[in-house]
Amino acid sequence: MDVVERLWTRATAEAPLPPGVLAGAAVVALLVVATPALWRPARTVVTIAHEGAHGLAALAAGRRLSGIRLHSDTSGLTVSRGRPTGPGMVLTCAAGYPGPALFGLGAAALLATGHAAGVLWAVLALLALLLLQIRNFYGLWAVLVTGAVVAGVTAWLPPAGQAAFAAAVTWFLLLAAPRTVLELQRARRRRTAPDSDADQLARLTGLPALGWVGLFLLLDAGALALAGSWLLLP
């Protein structure tokens, strides 16, 4: 019980972030997203969030989650069992691209209330749940490495360092989400992604795939704007 209490105390500790640190973390995240050499390896983190969102949506819709795969080309696959059509399948399929932005929005809510440590512990908890569903070696490696980095930050960095890292992760998810939607549309325009989430949703709902791409982009941009107002505006 003492260990649980200590962990809970650390996870719920408050550490308000100065505006300068929040702005600096945003700049760092933007550089990662905008620099090809940095974006390529960092994009795996977005794929983890994307596939995790598919998995959570599948469970929320009452579907049975069969497994998640992450690939070295930064693609992924989440398999669930249930009706092949209907609202549950639509929700599951639609959750991927807004997922990273919504995770970032939740993290921003914690940061805005001074619970930066809570962001890191929430990430660790979600990664642990995801690990149970990983079905390939690369996915296992990616989740374990990501979890090890976050665990190392919580174990060895002082509270100020943890808060700055949590802010950078939050901004990265918020800024990366719109870029992945633009990449999706670029792949669709080149006809290299015929079975993308947007195309599957078009077949499920009748709404054109471009409409789904626009909806994804709108949700991601809205999450970024809302989180920015929480973190940067007085």
Side-chain angles (χ1 to χ4, degrees):
M1 290 300 295
D2 289 340
V3 173
V4 174
E5 290 178 0
R6 286 199 297 269
L7 290 176
W8 179 253
T9 299
R10 291 179 63 183
T12 57
E14 294 188 22
L17 275 168
V21 174
L22 285 168
V27 171
V28 170
L30 182 60
L31 286 174
V32 173
V33 172
T35 305
L38 299 176
W39 170 247
R40 172 70 184 185
R43 198 188 188 287
T44 297
V45 175
V46 188
T47 304
I48 290 173
H50 178 111
E51 299 303 330
H54 278 311
L56 288 175
L59 293 175
R63 299 176 63 81
R64 180 179 298 178
L65 196 57
S66 299
I68 295 174
R69 292 175 176 269
L70 306 173
H71 304 133
S72 58
D73 63 355
T74 73
S75 65
L77 176 66
T78 298
V79 179
S80 62
R81 295 181 180 178
R83 288 184 57 192
T85 59
M89 187 60 189
V90 171
L91 176 63
T92 300
C93 196
Y97 281 96
L102 294 179
F103 287 137
L105 186 62
L110 288 173
L111 285 179
T113 57
H115 292 91
V119 173
L120 301 180
W121 284 94
V123 169
L124 286 175
L126 291 171
L127 287 173
L129 292 175
L130 179 65
L131 194 62
L132 299 176
Q133 295 296 331
I134 293 296
R135 296 294 184 268
N136 68 323
F137 180 77
Y138 181 82
L140 180 66
W141 178 86
V143 174
L144 286 176
V145 169
T146 304
V149 171
V150 178
V153 169
T154 61
W156 295 313
L157 288 187
Q162 293 181 34
F165 183 83
V169 170
T170 300
W171 282 118
F172 173 74
L173 290 173
L174 290 165
L175 291 166
R179 172 164 181 171
T180 62
V181 178
L182 296 177
E183 290 179 345
L184 164 67
Q185 181 54 26
R186 188 180 306 119
R188 291 190 63 257
R189 189 169 59 247
R190 294 173 179 173
R191 301 184 184 278
T192 59
D195 292 319
S196 71
D197 290 356
D199 291 283
Q200 292 182 53
L201 285 164
R203 292 191 287 269
L204 287 167
T205 65
L207 179 66
L210 187 59
W212 282 105
V213 172
L215 181 59
F216 294 156
L217 193 58
L218 182 63
L219 289 172
D220 289 348
L224 175 60
L226 183 56
S229 70
W230 291 345
L231 296 177
L232 297 179
L233 297 181

